[in-house]
Amino acid sequence: MDGLLNRRREDKERSIESEVLKNIDSGIIILEAYKILYVNDWICKKTGYTKEEILSNEIIKYVHPDYKEIVLNYHKRRLEEDSNIPTEYELKILKKNGKILWANAKASTTRVNGDINILFLITDITPLKKIEENFENIFEFSPDAISISRMSDGKIFRINNAFSEITGYTKSEIQKISIFDCISEENKIEILESMNKNIPIKHKRITINHKSGEKIIVSISTKPIDIYNDVCLITIARDVTDIVLHESKIKEALNKNITLYSALATLFDNSAYIIWVRDLERNFLFANKTMKNTFYINDPTKKVKPITNIIENDNKVIQSGKGMTFTEEVLINGEKRVFNSFKVPIFDCENESKIIGTAGMAVEIADISYINERINNFEKHAQEKQNIISDILNSISKINKVDQ
């Protein structure tokens, strides 16, 4: 009786085990040496092969050529019961249609009747690899220079093409220097202090050293990250040398006639109109009092949020190379305000085809409505006066006729 119960329990366990193996959302492969003893339905579904096709071949037939050598090496050492091999690794599996299945394989070893059996748990990581590939493309082809370095000693692990262009170092040469070697002495202490305190840097202008010895002005942003328990730093840099030069030229051009500039600056600063000048990075080179008071530029407690895409309008002016008028809406402390803006491009004084910034003038539409209302009232009163004069003249004319 006990034997019958044991057999029933074993049959039930095998049935449950079979259902679990069949329906689990991962692949299972069991090998004896290089021969495949078992695969579940997941493997067949993902690869397109039938069980009979898979069981009739050795495992290496389904491994992509890029990974055959490493898989064979791991497998040989695993059969030799070498404990110094990873139990988990990535590989490419060849599907029946010729496409690739990116997989994560977890391996465990056991002995059955004296023979070494190896069980693999396979997970499909193809979607993850596609995301990684997209990020890799973004990293490599970004117009901004990007580097990943270790914070403790500045060792650089990765750079993109733009980083090579901005510093002059190739990807092999960059391995021989640290990220600190790229930063000029006048900025190094400040940057190191921020790094030691794990404080991210945002759009800070610093000078870096080009391989040739040339000084390059960049706008950098940094962020500490953890990579395999190592504190690292992602650095993004954009060459702003030309922009800084253009800013200098704008200031130089404005200062050519200091008396005229002073008079205009006073006039603009005290104008009832909103007036501003910006560089191509949208930094304010000039903002008059009306601008500062209207948009609370010096008061961070006030909330100002554009409703209209103002950046898009600025870009239209830059792309067209001519002045343009816009109606723009801005949310100021929760109140929607509407402005009429006229914006013009600023050209390089030495290269009149090159735009180096924008300038603009704006007035709130409520002010325009008030002015228009005053004009309309004036015209209305003027017409009324004209009508009265006409009536008087008509009356005089009638009196003259009677006297005659």
Side-chain angles (χ1 to χ4, degrees):
M1 186 71 176
D2 289 341
L4 179 61
L5 289 173
N6 286 336
R7 281 197 300 275
R8 284 180 178 176
R9 185 168 61 249
E10 288 172 1
D11 289 343
K12 186 174 182 180
E13 286 175 355
R14 278 195 293 271
S15 174
I16 293 170
E17 200 172 277
S18 176
E19 283 301 310
V20 169
L21 293 176
K22 186 189 299 182
N23 296 309
I24 191 171
D25 191 25
S26 295
I28 295 176
I29 303 174
I30 301 176
L31 303 180
E32 183 180 275
Y34 294 91
K35 180 177 174 55
I36 303 172
L37 296 181
Y38 172 84
V39 293
N40 67 345
D41 293 341
W42 187 95
I43 293 289
C44 298
K45 181 181 177 181
K46 288 288 184 178
T47 63
Y49 290 102
T50 64
K51 281 191 178 182
E52 291 74 18
E53 288 172 324
I54 294 174
L55 296 175
S56 64
N57 291 287
E58 291 190 347
I59 188 67
I60 201 65
K61 171 182 169 64
Y62 306 103
V63 177
H64 190 277
D66 292 349
Y67 284 82
K68 280 190 177 181
E69 184 178 345
I70 191 169
V71 169
L72 283 171
N73 177 45
Y74 285 169
H75 197 67
K76 178 175 178 294
R77 290 165 61 189
R78 193 165 276 113
L79 291 173
E80 295 169 353
E81 299 185 279
D82 182 349
S83 60
N84 296 318
I85 52 173
T87 58
E88 186 174 351
Y89 56 91
E90 294 178 358
L91 75 156
K92 293 178 187 176
I93 295 174
L94 292 172
K95 299 167 76 171
K96 190 172 183 178
N97 62 9
K99 293 184 177 180
I100 292 171
L101 172 71
W102 270 103
N104 182 78
K106 292 182 180 179
S108 59
T109 306
T110 186
R111 282 189 175 272
V112 178
N113 299 326
D115 295 323
I116 295 177
N117 285 6
I118 302 172
L119 183 144
F120 287 98
L121 183 67
I122 307 295
T123 308
D124 182 3
I125 59 170
T126 306
L128 179 62
K129 282 296 178 181
K130 287 180 178 176
I131 293 171
E132 286 181 5
E133 184 180 342
N134 289 335
F135 274 107
E136 187 68 20
N137 288 333
I138 292 170
F139 180 89
E140 282 299 333
F141 298 107
S142 169
D144 293 329
I146 306 174
S147 67
I148 302 174
S149 57
R150 189 162 54 207
M151 287 184 65
S152 59
D153 58 6
K155 178 178 173 56
I156 301 172
F157 298 121
R158 285 286 306 275
I159 63 170
N160 66 347
N161 295 329
F163 193 94
S164 292
E165 292 172 8
I166 206 172
T167 62
Y169 291 100
T170 64
K171 291 186 178 181
S172 58
E173 290 173 332
I174 208 72
Q175 303 296 324
K176 301 172 185 177
I177 65 172
S178 79
I179 192 69
F180 309 129
D181 295 323
C182 299
I183 303 171
S184 64
E185 290 299 325
E186 61 262 32
N187 295 118
K188 192 173 291 185
I189 294 175
E190 184 182 0
I191 298 298
L192 284 171
E193 285 179 354
S194 297
M195 290 170 62
N196 290 334
K197 294 177 182 177
N198 281 345
I199 300 174
I201 297 170
K202 293 184 179 179
H203 308 301
K204 180 172 183 57
R205 288 185 180 179
I206 67 167
T207 305
I208 64 170
N209 304 315
H210 190 273
K211 180 183 174 182
S212 66
E214 181 186 358
K215 300 294 184 183
I216 308 293
I217 303 172
V218 298
S219 173
I220 71 162
S221 298
T222 66
K223 183 172 178 61
I225 58 168
D226 185 85
I227 300 178
Y228 299 118
N229 297 321
D230 219 346
V231 181
C232 297
L233 193 73
I234 290 182
T235 304
I236 301 175
R238 176 174 295 181
D239 187 350
V240 293
T241 307
D242 287 344
I243 291 174
V244 172
L245 178 63
H246 294 326
E247 288 175 2
S248 176
K249 287 180 178 179
I250 290 175
K251 290 174 183 177
E252 181 185 342
L254 291 173
N255 284 318
K256 277 185 177 179
N257 189 330
I258 191 66
T259 305
L260 177 60
Y261 169 72
S262 177
L264 288 174
T266 303
L267 178 65
F268 290 161
D269 201 32
N270 293 281
S271 171
Y273 290 100
I274 298 165
I275 301 173
W276 69 92
V277 179
R278 273 177 164 163
D279 62 20
L280 291 180
E281 278 194 310
R282 296 184 56 74
N283 297 310
F284 281 110
L285 301 179
F286 173 81
N288 73 344
K289 291 177 183 175
T290 308
M291 175 88 177
K292 293 173 183 176
N293 294 336
T294 303
F295 297 106
Y296 301 103
I297 288 177
N298 297 321
D299 188 350
T301 64
K302 305 295 184 181
K303 294 182 179 179
V304 179
K305 181 181 179 182
I307 300 173
T308 306
N309 194 333
I310 293 175
I311 295 176
E312 183 179 318
N313 290 344
D314 290 350
N315 289 336
K316 287 178 182 177
V317 172
I318 293 167
Q319 289 164 10
S320 68
K322 60 184 180 181
M324 300 179 74
T325 301
F326 303 97
T327 299
E328 297 176 323
E329 298 179 347
V330 180
L331 203 62
I332 302 176
N333 279 338
E335 179 188 355
K336 186 171 81 170
R337 309 265 290 272
V338 185
F339 300 86
N340 261 1
S341 302
F342 179 67
K343 303 179 181 182
V344 295
I346 301 174
F347 292 91
D348 189 335
C349 58
E350 293 182 3
N351 182 357
E352 294 184 358
S353 64
K354 195 167 190 178
I355 295 173
I356 56 176
T358 58
M361 178 182 291
V363 63
E364 193 166 358
I365 283 181
D367 297 336
I368 295 174
S369 300
Y370 173 74
I371 292 167
N372 287 338
E373 183 182 345
R374 292 292 302 272
I375 291 171
N376 290 335
N377 287 338
F378 176 79
E379 290 176 345
K380 181 180 177 182
H381 292 317
Q383 186 62 47
E384 287 175 355
K385 287 180 180 179
Q386 184 63 41
N387 291 340
I388 291 169
I389 292 169
S390 296
D391 289 343
I392 291 170
L393 291 174
N394 287 334
S395 297
I396 292 170
S397 177
K398 288 177 182 178
I399 292 169
N400 288 337
K401 287 179 181 179
V402 171
D403 290 340
Q404 291 172 0

